[in-house]
Amino acid sequence: MRALRSSRAAKFAAVTAVALGLAAGATGSANAATHTSPWLTGAQMPQSGAFHWQAEPKTRHTTTAEFQWLFTCGYDKRPAHELGTSSISVEQFATKAHLVQGSQVLFHFSSAAKAKTALARIESDYAHCANLVDRGPVDYDLHKHVHASVTRTAWITQGVSYRLEIRNAAGRPGNIPDLPSDAQEFFVQRGDTISFVQIEGTNAHLDVATGSLNVLKTMAARLG
């Protein structure tokens, strides 16, 4: 999901509503309860001590619809199709911190093999992400290309996390369409599911990677 900055707040809400089938007043179906829930609590989200995350009421839904985008280093206009998902579940998290948002997405696949292949695709995207961003977007404020850095902050078996920073030519947070200036993104695959957790916005705590390994371990435990 993209950062809620300036005019992007309305865009994010509209795109999410369409993707979840909610735009025309439809009601999505919540995930069926299982013995081990894959969903994180607010206290288990990254940097919970700084942001005090709360799950947004009635935002947990499952859809087979296509998304415009899903994670920062994904490039295809049909990411769900490219990853080979059978469905996607999402829940949004709120914080009182200004211009910061969080979310958890579950990518569901028809087999563990397809989920493993999708995780490899995601890792490949992140390995090349910084160079592509450097050659592309222009900062709205300075009208010059931005600089991006992507750092792998922690990893476990079938799981990895990243910190992303986008800065303008003056070293300040980049102001570009649809990409957050700062984000932490976490991926864990277990069986036929990939759990993806993201926090993003413009806040110094988003650059603190301490605790990333614990978040990955918690996500893995939640998946069972």
Side-chain angles (χ1 to χ4, degrees):
M1 308 301 172
R2 300 298 183 232
L4 292 179
R5 293 201 296 152
S6 62
S7 62
R8 276 177 276 182
K11 181 178 180 181
F12 174 86
V15 171
T16 301
V18 171
L20 296 179
L22 304 178
T27 55
S29 59
N31 262 17
T34 57
H35 180 68
T36 302
S37 171
W39 298 101
L40 299 191
T41 66
Q44 294 171 327
M45 287 284 287
Q47 301 298 330
S48 59
F51 296 119
H52 307 289
W53 299 104
Q54 297 290 326
E56 294 261 26
K58 300 181 181 180
T59 61
R60 185 185 299 180
H61 291 84
T62 298
T63 180
T64 56
E66 184 59 88
F67 281 72
Q68 182 179 353
W69 30 247
L70 285 164
F71 45 86
T72 299
C73 288
Y75 305 108
D76 197 274
K77 293 182 180 179
R78 301 176 62 205
H81 172 78
E82 288 298 309
L83 290 178
T85 63
S86 56
S87 63
I88 296 174
S89 303
V90 62
E91 183 167 49
Q92 297 175 47
F93 286 82
T95 174
K96 292 182 179 180
H98 187 51
L99 297 178
V100 175
Q101 73 172 27
S103 61
Q104 181 178 9
V105 178
L106 300 176
F107 302 123
H108 307 290
F109 300 87
S110 60
S111 70
K114 288 186 177 180
K116 186 175 181 179
T117 298
L119 181 62
R121 163 69 184 270
I122 290 169
E123 291 184 80
S124 176
D125 285 346
Y126 278 76
H128 301 95
C129 179
N131 289 338
L132 290 174
V133 174
D134 276 345
R135 293 199 304 267
V138 172
D139 179 73
Y140 279 173
D141 300 325
L142 300 183
H143 308 291
K144 296 181 179 180
H145 289 289
V146 296
H147 172 68
S149 65
V150 178
T151 305
R152 189 174 67 162
T153 57
W155 57 93
I156 59 175
T157 303
Q158 297 169 278
V160 62
S161 62
Y162 303 91
R163 182 180 64 218
L164 303 101
E165 298 179 16
I166 297 176
R167 298 291 181 263
N168 64 19
R172 295 190 295 269
N175 181 12
I176 58 178
D178 294 338
L179 290 178
S181 65
D182 300 77
Q184 290 192 49
E185 301 183 329
F186 303 76
F187 301 88
V188 174
Q189 181 241 327
R190 292 292 183 271
D192 60 3
T193 301
I194 293 176
S195 178
F196 163 49
V197 169
Q198 181 188 62
I199 61 174
E200 61 176 43
T202 305
N203 188 290
H205 289 288
L206 290 165
D207 296 329
V208 179
T210 303
S212 293
L213 180 59
N214 287 336
V215 173
L216 290 177
K217 290 180 177 179
T218 299
M219 292 168 65
R222 282 293 195 175
L223 288 172

